[in-house]
Amino acid sequence: PVEPWEPGDLGIPVCVGPKGCQLALIICHDGMFPECARECAYKGAEIMIRTAGYTAPIRHSWGFTNQSNSFCNLMVTANVCMCGSDGTFDSMGDGQIVNFDGVVLAAGTTGRADEIITAEVRPDLVREARTHWGVENNIYQLGHRGYVAVRGGAADCPYTYMRDLIEGRYRLPWEDKVVHTDGTACGFPAPDRTYSPNPPPPGV
């Protein structure tokens, strides 16, 4: 959020990984938005890789977002955080591998560069859960609300923030009070242009 990167407009690609698993990659702060992990899963990702460069004050949020990204989407997440100092920041390390049910399979303990964590992950169990789970098949139920009472469930969008975002009128009730709305507090110049997304390539 404090780097001068351009906003993306291509979504999050999913590719075929080892032994045919479906892989997606998000970067750092993307993982703090539940919509990014959901996009990965919605496009078929069974394993989501998250790379980051966080420092210690965010350690707790790092952990529970990794777990919620997994559980809410029935998706394994492999989360790696930079460690050591770049002369300004001392990054925390603390990699995590989280199973699709939100259980941490492996986690770093030292935050140092010579620590490696590993875990066995089972994309076949991800597929099984997505097919057979009932109560906690949350990513399915989002698009089939109330399927016990209504055949097939409701497939409309009842969420105000989603509709407003699509219509280009996303605005928070406290929007006018937000202090940091650009990167000037971090030494970046105020941007002088507005965002214009590129048209998607043919077939996308």
Side-chain angles (χ1 to χ4, degrees):
V2 295
E3 295 92 354
W5 311 131
E6 294 285 331
D9 59 6
L10 297 179
I12 301 172
V14 173
C15 65
V16 178
K19 298 185 178 181
C21 71
Q22 298 293 305
L23 288 177
L25 169 69
I26 65 172
I27 299 173
C28 203
H29 202 67
D30 292 346
M32 298 300 185
F33 302 95
E35 295 82 3
C36 288
R38 176 124 308 164
E39 173 78 355
C40 294
Y42 185 75
K43 294 173 75 172
E46 298 156 345
I47 301 172
M48 183 186 80
I49 301 167
R50 179 187 185 187
T51 64
Y54 284 122
T55 56
I58 209 73
R59 189 183 305 276
H60 187 62
S61 301
W62 164 254
F64 71 67
T65 53
N66 293 335
Q67 290 183 268
S68 65
N69 286 338
S70 289
F71 176 69
C72 292
N73 298 292
L74 297 181
M75 176 172 64
V76 173
T77 63
N79 311 278
V80 57
C81 187
M82 184 168 64
C83 62
S85 175
D86 63 3
T88 302
F89 297 106
D90 187 29
S91 297
M92 67 185 188
D94 199 14
Q96 287 187 343
I97 302 169
V98 184
N99 210 5
F100 64 89
D101 57 0
V103 174
V104 177
L105 298 175
T109 58
T110 68
R112 297 300 92 192
D114 58 356
E115 182 179 25
I116 297 173
I117 63 170
T118 62
E120 178 185 18
V121 297
R122 296 274 305 274
D124 59 315
L125 296 182
V126 171
R127 297 174 202 131
E128 182 179 298
R130 288 176 171 179
T131 302
H132 294 289
W133 277 24
V135 173
E136 296 302 343
N137 197 342
N138 300 306
I139 188 168
Y140 175 81
Q141 292 180 16
L142 178 68
H144 303 82
R145 294 176 295 109
Y147 65 63
V148 174
V150 180
R151 186 171 58 202
D156 63 332
C157 179
Y159 307 106
T160 307
Y161 88 96
M162 289 185 181
R163 295 197 304 266
D164 285 355
L165 194 61
I166 291 168
E167 296 295 330
R169 49 189 173 87
Y170 181 92
R171 184 174 176 80
L172 301 170
W174 59 91
E175 188 103 3
D176 292 333
K177 297 180 181 179
V178 174
V179 174
H180 299 288
T181 60
D182 58 28
T184 53
C186 296
F188 295 104
D192 57 5
R193 59 190 174 88
T194 57
Y195 174 67
S196 179
N198 295 317
V204 175

